[in-house]
């Protein structure tokens, strides 16, 4: 039975008490960025008040404390992802930087002209463009895993796309634009049977379902802090230790070296530090750790189950809006509804319902190839989090009904 105490969860989010245009905020843009609970805000505040210092290179108390908290977060992320070792966790600015790291380090070292990388039509631009940039330089080919009319990956087509030249599959765990949950464990098994690696973009999975990179057998797994109740501009890349060890650094600077000499050249630190050049977002990394603990205290499965309930309620309510077409009707999907309405521009709808306090996202959701598949250039997207309620969905749908009447 579902025991998520949503009233208690909401008390952790002061922002939910604010008003927008004189109306209580109904925040349904969680797939873009989730809100931040008090323990995470307090972690940031505590860091700057008590132990702000650069990490790894100090021999003073503040530097030691900051280093200890930073490295403790690596263990928190390791456990959150089910990884075996802390050194398999690299801190990045987020999912985007994590994927760019893999492209520029592993990709640049391993991809040759004529090689093939499989990318799905469901991808966020951040799992498309880094591969296109590199392909233009190195001359490998990008092949696209197609989807059906529900927005579900065509697994037969996936199997057939493999050739002796397939080196990597890059796929998201959950689609940000329409919520499809992809069978990544099965996809990894198939990729490995063809001696290809798999990189999973977990940006939209981390807040909604338990992740186990070992059971999944992901070679690389990326996620962002700000979609899982943590700060913006910080995230992590998981990579299997033997892969990370064989990869060259991609950014040079302090922290990532062992020795530097003009005569003998430079040697590099061990993983993960080899991939963490420069001073990282120390406070934000530590606060990300607190966010993951906050999620685990509630239970990510429970959060996911709660959001499924909200999704079912939203689907029911939205059916009453005439001319509304839902994009993405996968049987397994996260708490996201993406839709267009006949005779009403997505932008107009979003602006009108913002006047009623309701925050949703419109546009292409950084997934233009996916929207092209559905023959649209923009959708409205409402996405749910642990603190959303059925009452908020009713407010959203009532606001939507009013907006649609006004613009028609
Ligand atoms: N992949 C997916 C599936 C996403 O939803 C997002 C964020 N919208 C990203 C990647 C990029 O994440 P970030 O901007 O935090 O790097």
């Amino acid at each position: 039975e579902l025991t998520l105490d949503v009233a208690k969860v909401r008390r952790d989010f002061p922002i939910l008490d604010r008003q927008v245009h004189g109306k209580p905020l109904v925040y349904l843009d969680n797939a873009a960025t989730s809100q931040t609970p008090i323990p995470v805000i307090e972690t940031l505040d505590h860091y700057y008040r008590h132990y702000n210092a650069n990490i790894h290179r100090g021999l003073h108390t503040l530097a030691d404390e900051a280093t200890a908290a930073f490295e403790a977060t690596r263990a928190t992320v390791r456990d959150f992802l089910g990884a075996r070792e802390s050194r398999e966790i690299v801190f990045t600015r987020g999912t985007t930087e994590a994927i760019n790291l893999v492209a520029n380090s592993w990709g640049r070292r391993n991809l040759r002209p004529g090689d093939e990388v499989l990318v799905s039509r469901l991808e966020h631009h951040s799992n498309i463009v880094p591969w296109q940039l590199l392909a233009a330089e190195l001359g490998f080919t990008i092949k696209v895993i197609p989807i059906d009319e529900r927005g579900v990956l065509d697994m037969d087509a996936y199997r057939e796309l493999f050739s002796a030249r397939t080196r990597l599959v890059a796929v998201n765990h959950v689609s940000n634009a329409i919520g499809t949950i992809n069978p990544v464990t099965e996809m990894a098994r198939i990729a490995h049977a063809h001696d290809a690696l798999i990189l999973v973009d977990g940006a939209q999975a981390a807040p909604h379902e338990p992740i186990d990179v070992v059971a999944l057998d992901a070679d690389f797994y990326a996620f962002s802090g700000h979609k899982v109740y943590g700060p913006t501009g910080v995230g992590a890349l998981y990579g299997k230790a033997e892969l990370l060890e064989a990869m060259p650094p991609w950014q040079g600077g302090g922290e990532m070296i062992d020795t530097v000499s003009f005569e003998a050249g430079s040697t590099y630190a061990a993983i993960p530090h080899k991939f963490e050049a420069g001073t990282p977002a120390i406070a934000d990394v530590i606060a990300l750790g607190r966010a993951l603990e906050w999620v685990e205290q509630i239970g990510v499965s429970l959060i996911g189950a709660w959001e499924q309930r909200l999704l079912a309620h939203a689907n029911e309510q939205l059916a009453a809006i005439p001319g509304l077409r839902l994009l993405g009707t996968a049987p397994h999907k996260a708490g996201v509804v993406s839709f267009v309405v006949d005779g009403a521009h997505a932008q107009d709808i979003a602006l009108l319902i913002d006047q009623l306090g309701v925050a949703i996202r419109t546009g292409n959701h950084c997934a233009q190839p996916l929207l092209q598949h559905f023959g649209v250039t923009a959708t409205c997207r409402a996405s749910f989090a642990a603190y959303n309620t059925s009452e908020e969905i009713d407010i959203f749908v009532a606001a939507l009904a009013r907006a649609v009447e006004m613009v028609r």
Side-chain angles (χ1 to χ4, degrees):
E1 243 319 276
L2 214 50
T3 54
L4 187 122
D5 183 348
V6 71
K8 180 163 178 280
V9 170
R10 290 180 70 85
R11 283 198 289 278
D12 270 345
F13 293 86
I15 205 168
L16 298 178
D17 294 333
R18 73 161 282 181
Q19 304 222 318
V20 171
H21 302 299
K23 302 281 193 308
L25 169 67
V26 173
Y27 187 79
L28 300 175
D29 193 18
N30 297 287
T33 288
S34 51
Q35 295 302 340
T36 314
I38 289 168
V40 174
I41 298 170
E42 285 179 349
T43 299
L44 290 166
D45 183 83
H46 184 76
Y47 171 84
Y48 285 113
R49 284 179 194 276
H50 297 285
Y51 64 106
N52 176 27
N54 212 329
I55 53 170
H56 294 314
R57 42 194 151 186
L59 270 181
H60 60 79
T61 301
L62 269 56
D64 283 347
E65 288 176 7
T67 303
F70 186 89
E71 290 302 326
T73 300
R74 212 184 289 281
T76 305
V77 174
R78 174 199 66 203
D79 294 345
F80 183 76
L81 295 179
R84 290 192 177 95
E85 302 182 69
S86 293
R87 67 193 182 112
E88 297 179 310
I89 306 300
V90 179
F91 288 115
T92 66
R93 285 200 300 118
T95 305
T96 302
E97 192 179 59
I99 296 169
N100 277 276
L101 188 165
V102 176
N104 284 287
S105 172
W106 180 86
R108 204 174 280 288
R109 171 66 57 95
N110 291 287
L111 295 171
R112 310 258 174 280
D115 281 349
E116 292 163 2
V117 170
L118 308 188
V119 173
S120 95
R121 183 163 282 274
L122 285 172
E123 295 317 300
H124 188 280
H125 296 160
S126 64
N127 204 17
I128 299 174
V129 182
W131 305 112
Q132 289 180 326
L133 288 169
L134 196 63
E137 226 181 285
L138 301 184
F140 62 87
T141 304
I142 296 170
K143 288 181 161 182
V144 182
I145 310 162
I147 55 177
D148 67 15
E149 68 291 345
R150 301 167 303 167
V152 174
L153 289 180
D154 180 339
M155 288 295 280
D156 290 330
Y158 172 62
R159 283 187 195 87
E160 281 161 23
L161 279 175
F162 282 90
S163 79
R165 300 302 303 270
T166 310
R167 300 282 174 253
L168 177 77
V169 175
V171 66
N172 60 34
H173 195 161
V174 174
S175 155
N176 63 305
I178 58 172
T180 310
I181 302 173
N182 292 315
V184 285
T185 306
E186 172 75 352
M187 294 178 82
R189 203 185 51 70
I190 295 167
H192 293 146
H194 290 90
D195 290 328
L197 301 185
I198 186 163
L199 174 150
V200 180
D201 166 356
Q204 296 293 341
H208 310 299
E209 60 177 279
I211 295 160
D212 184 336
V213 291
V214 172
L216 162 53
D217 204 12
D219 296 294
F220 301 105
Y221 196 100
F223 76 99
S224 296
H226 67 104
K227 296 181 198 285
V228 61
Y229 310 101
T232 56
V234 65
L237 172 71
Y238 159 83
K240 285 179 180 166
E242 65 272 22
L243 289 170
L244 293 178
E245 276 174 339
M247 284 158 53
W250 79 301
Q251 291 179 335
E255 303 281 2
M256 53 73 70
I257 52 86
D258 182 20
T259 60
V260 177
S261 150
F262 282 119
E263 292 71 34
S266 301
T267 57
Y268 307 116
I271 63 166
H273 305 289
K274 181 169 71 174
F275 298 110
E276 293 178 357
T279 303
I282 302 166
D284 304 285
V285 163
I286 296 167
L288 166 60
R290 189 64 190 88
L292 299 181
E293 286 167 7
W294 182 88
V295 167
E296 299 281 20
Q297 274 160 12
I298 298 173
V300 69
S301 301
L302 186 58
I303 292 173
W306 175 255
E307 292 161 348
Q308 286 298 314
R309 210 187 243 203
L310 297 175
L311 175 63
H313 184 67
N315 280 331
E316 256 170 44
Q317 300 299 306
L318 289 173
I321 308 266
L324 183 143
R325 174 180 160 220
L326 211 54
L327 305 184
T329 48
H332 301 293
K333 63 177 278 187
V336 176
V337 287
S338 206
F339 57 86
V340 291
V341 185
D342 286 343
H345 284 296
Q347 274 78 358
D348 293 340
I349 290 175
L351 285 172
L352 284 168
I353 72 173
D354 177 64
Q355 293 296 317
L356 301 170
V358 181
I360 62 167
R361 183 144 301 243
T362 59
N364 61 50
H365 315 297
C366 299
Q368 288 183 19
L370 174 59
L371 267 62
Q372 287 153 12
H373 170 83
F374 286 109
V376 299
T377 52
T379 78
C380 292
R381 180 188 72 185
S383 50
F384 312 131
Y387 41 71
N388 290 129
T389 64
S390 297
E391 292 72 33
E392 287 183 311
I393 287 171
D394 294 342
I395 294 168
F396 153 58
V397 177
L400 178 63
R402 267 179 74 179
V404 169
E405 252 168 50
M406 282 175 73
V407 296
R408 268 198 187 133

